[in-house]
Amino acid sequence: MKSHVRAVVIGGGVVGCSVLYHLAKAGWSDVMLIERSELTSGSSWHAAGGFHTLNGDPNVAKLQAYTVSLYKELEELSGQSCGLHLTGGVMMADTPERMDFLRLVHAKGRYLGMETELITPSEAKAMFPLMDESNFVGALWDPVEGHLDPSGTTHAYARAARKLGAEIVLRNRVVELTQEPDGTWNVVTEQGTVKADHVVNAGGLWAREVGRMAGLELPVLAMEHMYLLTEDMPEVLDFNARTGRELVGVIDFKGEIYTRQERSGILLGTYEKACKPWSPVETPWDFGHELLAPDLDRIAPSLEVGFRHFPALENAGIKQIINGPFTFAPDGNPLVGPVPGLTNYWTACGVMAGFSQGGGVGLALSQWMVDGDPGADIWGMDVSRYGEWATLRYTNAKVRENYSRRFSISFPNEELPAARPQQTTPLYDIMVRDNHAVMGDSWGLETPLWFAPSAEEAHDVLSFHRSNDFEHVGREVRATRESVGVTEISNFAKYEVTGDGAEAFLNRLMTNTMPKTGRIVLTPMLNEAGKLIGDFTIAKMDAARFMVWGSIAAQKYHMRWFQQHLPSDGSVAIRRLGINLVGLSIAGPNARKVLEKLTDDDVSGSAFRFMDVREMDVHAAPCIVNRITYTGDLGYEIWMEPAYQRRVYDGIRQAGEEFGIVDFGMRALLAMRLEKNFPTWFRELRPIYGPFEAGMDRFVKLSKDDFIGREAAAKEQADGLKLMRTSFLVDALDADVMGDEPVWAKVGDTDYGTVEKPHGYGAPRFDADGKEIAKPEGGTLRDGDWRVVGWITSGGYAHSIGSSMAQGYIPSALANDGSEGMFEIEILGIRRPARIALEPPFDPAGDKMRS
């Protein structure tokens, strides 16, 4: 065993071996993997081995597609078979709502280049004749699904890594991690100490314990997961003999089960509601190649549905029951990347779908370590997406909820209840008890979404269509636009940047020039590749003090970047304020009249201008007031310590009573920002877009001497834009866009190159007689005229103008075509006419917010 390496990967499951392989492939041959037992001694060895490319996050789906496409190359390089079975798979819908969900998945696949196809239950039965098709209303076929040999695949990664120079040390547990002042890690093992420049926690079932060695409590929990293997089934043997093919994989949402062929029988697994955590506090180090006790009673409800839907299974003998632990993060996605606050400590854990995601995780993490950037937008997997509120018991509750909903539909207006409320502001009880607010979870913080007329009506009716909130959100929007409204804005990130070097520091990070004292600027933040990694409001309070506001969900993500670039001379300090600073916003044509009644300061239009900031007393409470709102109307953001929030809110309500002031929630705010064509972080603004593509031109000052990403941004502008963020007016029916829908354009055979080629390699589909069915067009053309040219990032209904709206990205050559009949947006499988809004429908000149 070497005494010093560039990086140590802790954990010898499929994820750890993938990270090792990708690091070696990227040129870091001086790397070592340390495993406490044998390879695959955690979850990998007893995994069902299924893989697929579909994912709720398109960017994660791309990494899953990479994982699947890698396996053949990996076999050739390593000489080790992965036991690959590319069968294809079907998802079965038993209700119209589940069919709507499959339509959304299919539409999303269009712009990702996926060859999915909506099919009938009878067509699905032809590929999996064990089902009773009368239980279903439709299905989705995906050719890039299948299963493999978990042990063979893990060893293929390991052999390939060894061939590239990496070292693997087995039967050697890591017992301690310490860090030297120079950042070097001492990896203390049973066989001695290894010094490493970098440490990767790929500990799997032991990821929490490896995290605790560095002072971390990672939000990850293992759950017991069961699947069973049947004896040989004559129905399977008959299908194989008749067609010469293997049965496809099947997901049955109603039964919460998945099935596939295993030898001449069936593998059937469940994600049951009555789920059970395993070792919720500590993982025993001596756990290894053993299984947990089976518990068929726990999965009996799922099996009962499965037997009705797949009658042949009821008479099949059970050969073996597998019950083993798998780790999950609260949202089911992996925890990947550099841990904020630590130097060169990386995570690659919580990878529940290791054989779908392991290759993508290894690729992204290796690129991040070697090149300083993951090379893709992996926000959905970034370890920084969780804050301190994701405690051990919170994680336990949320993981149980996520596991039990693995095959449940996620509705766009659904707020999940487990572990809530976790964080609240002083207004929580007023909002819920008195104002009948329906609350949402914003990075662990309770935030009003909309306000119902009574407590009995204060809940969401879950739907892909316009729901029971539609009328009430409309009332909030119209009342605010016509007079005045108030909303809580505590769910923004807040930072205080101080010191003699604060202005130079912010100028280096941000694309805009810093404001003068008493003024505000809006500014993007870029990475070295010139892609968007942040969007901020910055106010200069005095020469050495700035206030910064951004996205609440990206606080750890942004703090990691800020701390990485802090000057070493101590001239700058940055403090994340969290809910130690809370806020309210008043907006609408009467907003100034409300504020005038609450302060002794002159807040006239000439004395307190648009984009001014001022510290002033509001209803006798010390506050910071920004002359700006996300509604795009006349308005103010009022920030205060939590101790004053109830007082300020009461004052606003009293002062606004004569103007008919209303409370409005986050859904109304997001609807109003659509009317102004304002982008939002995580949707329109992500690390896959450049600032000019995103329409942020006026906030990017290339004339500045230097800022991170300047050269790349200048090149983006000079080379001409391929894509452009665009706003659409949509002729929707009873459902608005939710995000990730394809944009169609009537462009004939013109190739704009924005839709990716079909990913991976596809399994053909056959009819009941074994005849191959022609591959679907994938929705790329219709009548030779229409083509998918882009995608939607967000949307909704713009109540004050009475129109459905959407934002998305399309080729720049099309972005100024405001003609009728040029575009369509696919909503729940129905393509609806859309027209580009060449200017914001509400107050296009911006006169109201500047008045």
Side-chain angles (χ1 to χ4, degrees):
M1 186 173 69
K2 294 179 180 178
S3 61
H4 186 281
V5 293
R6 178 172 280 188
V8 164
V9 179
I10 303 174
V14 65
V15 175
C17 290
S18 171
V19 171
L20 187 74
Y21 162 70
H22 282 92
L23 283 173
K25 185 179 179 181
W28 281 20
S29 58
D30 185 20
V31 290
M32 177 187 295
L33 183 147
I34 301 177
E35 162 57 39
R36 51 175 278 283
S37 181
E38 306 293 336
L39 297 182
T40 77
S41 290
S43 298
S44 295
W45 77 271
H46 59 74
F51 60 81
H52 56 88
T53 56
L54 294 170
N55 188 282
D57 185 329
N59 297 287
V60 176
K62 293 176 183 177
L63 290 175
Q64 292 183 189
Y66 164 79
T67 300
V68 177
S69 68
L70 176 65
Y71 287 134
K72 285 187 176 179
E73 173 189 332
L74 197 61
E75 287 181 328
E76 294 172 358
L77 179 62
S78 67
Q80 166 71 48
S81 171
C82 293
L84 197 66
H85 296 253
L86 188 69
T87 62
V90 289
M91 295 182 179
M92 305 303 300
D94 66 305
T95 64
E97 290 77 17
R98 286 193 173 94
M99 199 63 216
D100 276 344
F101 171 74
L102 294 185
R103 291 187 183 100
L104 284 171
V105 173
H106 176 54
K108 185 182 299 184
R110 291 191 196 276
Y111 79 79
L112 290 173
M114 294 181 176
E115 295 183 300
T116 60
E117 184 184 2
L118 295 171
I119 62 176
T120 67
S122 296
E123 290 177 302
K125 181 181 175 67
M127 294 182 279
F128 196 86
L130 282 64
M131 75 170 62
D132 177 357
E133 72 273 28
S134 67
N135 292 291
F136 304 105
V137 299
L140 179 72
W141 159 253
D142 180 10
V144 191
E145 290 191 12
H147 59 97
L148 45 67
D149 171 20
S151 178
T153 301
T154 304
H155 280 87
Y157 278 119
R159 286 189 180 185
R162 281 192 175 112
K163 285 188 173 183
L164 294 171
E167 181 179 0
I168 296 177
V169 180
L170 303 179
R171 297 173 292 281
N172 184 29
R173 182 165 70 88
V174 174
V175 297
E176 186 181 8
L177 293 172
T178 62
Q179 195 170 27
E180 300 290 344
D182 66 357
T184 303
W185 287 94
N186 297 308
V187 183
V188 184
T189 79
E190 294 171 328
Q191 298 177 15
T193 299
V194 180
K195 286 191 175 294
D197 300 330
H198 299 262
V199 168
V200 179
N201 179 353
L205 293 175
W206 295 270
R208 284 178 311 187
E209 281 65 33
V210 176
R212 288 165 183 167
M213 292 177 187
L216 300 173
E217 189 62 48
L218 292 169
V220 63
L221 174 71
M223 299 293 293
E224 294 191 15
H225 179 68
M226 264 183 288
Y227 63 87
L228 57 87
L229 304 174
T230 73
E231 301 283 359
D232 291 353
M233 296 179 63
E235 297 87 350
V236 175
L237 290 165
D238 175 70
F239 180 86
N240 297 158
R242 179 166 48 86
T243 66
R245 292 179 287 105
E246 190 175 353
L247 290 168
V248 303
V250 177
I251 290 177
D252 177 3
F253 291 108
K254 174 67 174 178
E256 301 161 340
I257 58 179
Y258 59 90
T259 70
R260 66 165 175 82
Q261 184 172 334
E262 175 68 17
R263 299 186 184 275
S264 297
I266 291 294
L267 180 151
L268 184 150
T270 71
Y271 284 91
E272 68 281 2
K273 290 286 189 289
C275 55
K276 183 179 179 180
W278 179 74
S279 294
V281 178
E282 291 187 39
T283 305
W285 286 106
D286 59 355
F287 184 80
H289 278 270
E290 61 255 43
L291 294 171
L292 307 176
D295 186 2
L296 282 179
D297 289 342
R298 198 171 77 237
I299 65 173
S302 293
L303 293 180
E304 289 175 7
V305 176
F307 293 157
R308 289 200 307 271
H309 289 185
F310 310 98
L313 291 174
E314 189 168 12
N315 299 318
I318 297 177
K319 181 168 62 176
Q320 187 179 8
I321 300 172
I322 308 294
N323 185 19
F326 286 88
T327 54
F328 295 76
D331 61 3
N333 275 342
L335 301 172
V336 179
V339 174
L342 291 179
T343 304
N344 294 339
Y345 185 99
W346 307 78
T347 61
C349 53
V351 189
M352 179 275 301
F355 296 98
S356 294
Q357 299 174 336
V361 168
L363 175 69
L365 189 64
S366 65
Q367 291 180 152
W368 212 337
M369 295 174 70
V370 174
D371 302 327
D373 186 89
D377 180 0
I378 67 159
W379 168 251
M381 300 193 299
D382 196 320
V383 65
S384 71
R385 70 187 186 275
Y386 288 106
E388 297 82 358
W389 43 269
T391 60
L392 184 66
R393 292 195 177 189
Y394 172 95
T395 297
N396 190 316
K398 294 305 282 188
V399 167
R400 292 183 66 170
E401 178 183 61
N402 178 272
Y403 181 98
S404 70
R405 291 177 44 82
R406 175 92 177 137
F407 287 153
S408 298
I409 299 174
S410 295
F411 290 95
N413 61 336
E414 186 170 19
E415 293 287 331
L416 301 179
R420 293 177 57 194
Q422 177 73 335
Q423 297 180 88
T424 61
T425 70
L427 295 181
Y428 177 77
D429 59 328
I430 294 175
M431 294 296 169
V432 174
R433 181 194 62 216
D434 300 339
N435 297 356
H436 315 307
V438 176
M439 305 296 284
D441 179 355
S442 293
W443 211 59
L445 177 67
E446 296 295 314
T447 301
L449 298 176
W450 62 279
F451 295 88
S454 67
E456 293 72 26
E457 298 172 85
H459 63 274
D460 279 317
V461 175
L462 302 181
S463 178
F464 291 111
H465 302 260
R466 292 173 189 156
S467 190
N468 61 320
D469 66 334
F470 185 79
E471 172 189 350
H472 306 296
V473 172
R475 175 185 55 81
E476 295 168 20
V477 170
R478 289 186 292 271
T480 300
R481 290 292 196 216
E482 293 167 6
S483 184
V484 64
V486 57
T487 190
E488 187 169 15
I489 54 172
S490 302
N491 63 328
F492 281 81
K494 289 86 60 176
Y495 312 88
E496 185 179 49
V497 184
T498 56
D500 293 340
E503 184 158 356
F505 168 73
L506 291 171
N507 258 321
R508 169 70 176 149
L509 262 60
M510 307 296 172
T511 65
N512 207 345
T513 53
M514 289 303 100
K516 297 178 179 179
T517 301
R519 294 287 289 167
I520 297 168
V521 297
L522 306 178
T523 178
M525 184 169 71
L526 309 179
N527 60 20
E528 286 89 347
K531 300 301 184 182
L532 291 160
I533 58 170
D535 177 46
F536 299 96
T537 300
I538 298 182
K540 185 174 183 179
M541 310 307 295
D542 58 45
R545 178 180 170 229
F546 291 80
M547 295 298 299
V548 180
W549 291 267
S551 167
I552 186 172
Q555 288 186 66
K556 285 291 194 77
Y557 175 84
H558 287 144
M559 279 298 292
R560 182 173 63 196
W561 185 260
F562 294 154
Q563 290 168 345
Q564 181 180 338
H565 292 90
L566 278 175
S568 58
D569 60 5
S571 62
V572 181
I574 183 163
R575 185 163 64 106
R576 179 165 60 96
L577 299 175
I579 57 172
N580 292 310
L581 189 69
V582 294
L584 296 162
S585 177
I586 52 176
N590 286 317
R592 180 180 289 116
K593 295 177 181 177
V594 171
L595 184 60
E596 284 174 338
K597 297 169 70 172
L598 297 170
T599 183
D600 297 321
D601 279 49
D602 183 355
V603 293
S604 63
S606 57
F608 194 34
R609 301 164 297 162
F610 178 60
M611 301 293 278
D612 273 355
V613 59
R614 188 181 302 174
E615 293 182 280
M616 67 174 76
D617 292 347
V618 178
H619 199 48
C623 298
I624 296 173
V625 182
N626 297 338
R627 169 85 197 273
I628 188 175
T629 78
Y630 198 39
T631 66
D633 214 321
L634 169 65
Y636 307 87
E637 293 177 349
I638 306 170
W639 301 95
M640 71 290 295
E641 294 177 5
Y644 298 107
Q645 191 185 31
R646 290 179 76 126
R647 176 174 181 82
V648 174
Y649 174 76
D650 287 342
I652 289 171
R653 290 289 306 183
Q654 293 166 17
E657 187 174 0
E658 70 172 287
F659 307 109
I661 194 170
V662 299
D663 289 281
F664 67 93
M666 186 56 55
R667 290 181 185 167
L669 180 64
L670 292 176
M672 286 187 273
R673 68 98 186 175
L674 283 174
E675 299 169 347
K676 287 294 295 178
N677 193 23
F678 289 163
T680 188
W681 173 254
F682 184 64
R683 283 299 186 174
E684 288 75 41
L685 308 178
R686 296 187 69 146
I688 53 176
Y689 305 122
F692 297 103
E693 289 178 332
M696 308 291 280
D697 312 40
R698 63 189 183 279
F699 308 123
V700 181
K701 309 299 185 186
L702 294 177
S703 57
K704 283 172 57 174
D705 289 340
D706 190 25
F707 59 83
I708 294 173
R710 180 186 177 280
E711 290 185 8
K715 187 175 187 304
E716 176 195 349
Q717 185 187 52
D719 289 350
L721 306 181
K722 295 181 180 179
L723 296 175
M724 186 173 292
R725 178 173 65 88
T726 307
S727 182
F728 293 94
L729 297 164
V730 187
D731 182 14
L733 296 174
D734 66 339
D736 303 299
V737 301
M738 290 157 267
D740 298 325
E741 293 88 351
V743 179
W744 298 71
K746 196 172 185 179
V747 294
D749 293 329
T750 305
D751 183 8
Y752 288 97
T754 60
V755 179
E756 299 181 5
K757 301 298 182 184
H759 66 277
Y761 41 91
R765 189 161 66 85
F766 299 84
D767 64 20
D769 297 323
K771 181 180 178 182
E772 183 173 352
I773 298 172
K775 288 185 178 180
E777 293 179 341
T780 54
L781 294 174
R782 186 184 72 180
D783 301 329
D785 293 327
W786 292 83
R787 186 179 296 272
V788 174
V789 297
W791 55 90
I792 293 301
T793 49
S794 67
Y797 195 82
H799 291 272
S800 69
I801 65 168
S803 175
S804 186
M805 291 194 70
Q807 290 188 36
Y809 282 84
I810 63 173
S812 58
L814 298 173
N816 293 312
D817 189 337
S819 60
E820 299 279 356
M822 182 65 185
F823 296 98
E824 292 178 347
I825 296 173
E826 187 172 343
I827 305 175
L828 297 178
I830 301 174
R831 287 162 50 177
R832 300 300 305 164
R835 177 171 56 85
I836 291 178
L838 296 175
E839 57 184 17
F842 176 80
D843 188 29
D847 295 331
K848 294 182 182 295
M849 60 185 179
R850 291 179 173 83
S851 63

